[in-house]
Amino acid sequence: MNNNELLENLISKRLKELRVSNDYTYAKVALELNINRETIRRYEKKPSIMTVDTFLRLLDLYGYETKIFFDEIYGKMP
């Protein structure tokens, strides 16, 4: 696995953890962001297809700061 794949996997996993820890379903997130539920599911599987705006809106919804998110992610990189 290359670094890009590893990074995408870490981001994917963390986004799911944040959604679950906030007790959000795909449907609830989709409603809050005014996008399709399946789109949220795809974003969690492949976050690189998400726009920066949507990513920032997700973190805001989860009450999470961008810097902290990436500090955690890059702290797990080899």
Side-chain angles (χ1 to χ4, degrees):
M1 182 179 294
N2 67 39
N3 280 347
N4 287 339
E5 292 169 330
L6 177 59
L7 181 59
E8 186 157 62
N9 285 340
L10 289 170
I11 291 170
S12 177
K13 181 180 176 185
R14 188 64 182 132
L15 287 173
K16 182 176 181 176
E17 290 171 351
L18 288 171
R19 179 179 54 78
V20 170
S21 71
N22 281 282
D23 201 29
Y24 280 103
T25 62
Y26 292 126
K28 187 172 180 180
V29 173
L31 182 65
E32 291 287 331
L33 298 183
N34 196 32
I35 54 180
N36 186 291
R37 173 177 76 192
E38 276 303 306
T39 302
I40 297 298
R41 207 169 73 81
R42 282 195 313 265
Y43 287 165
E44 281 188 9
K45 291 182 181 273
K46 188 157 180 67
S48 63
I49 64 173
M50 185 179 351
T51 66
V52 172
D53 180 61
T54 301
F55 175 74
L56 294 174
R57 290 173 55 210
L58 266 178
L59 289 185
D60 187 50
L61 178 65
Y62 299 150
Y64 222 72
E65 292 183 33
T66 309
K67 182 184 180 335
I68 293 170
F69 183 89
F70 282 109
D71 283 350
E72 291 173 352
I73 297 299
Y74 285 113
K76 294 178 182 177
M77 293 288 288

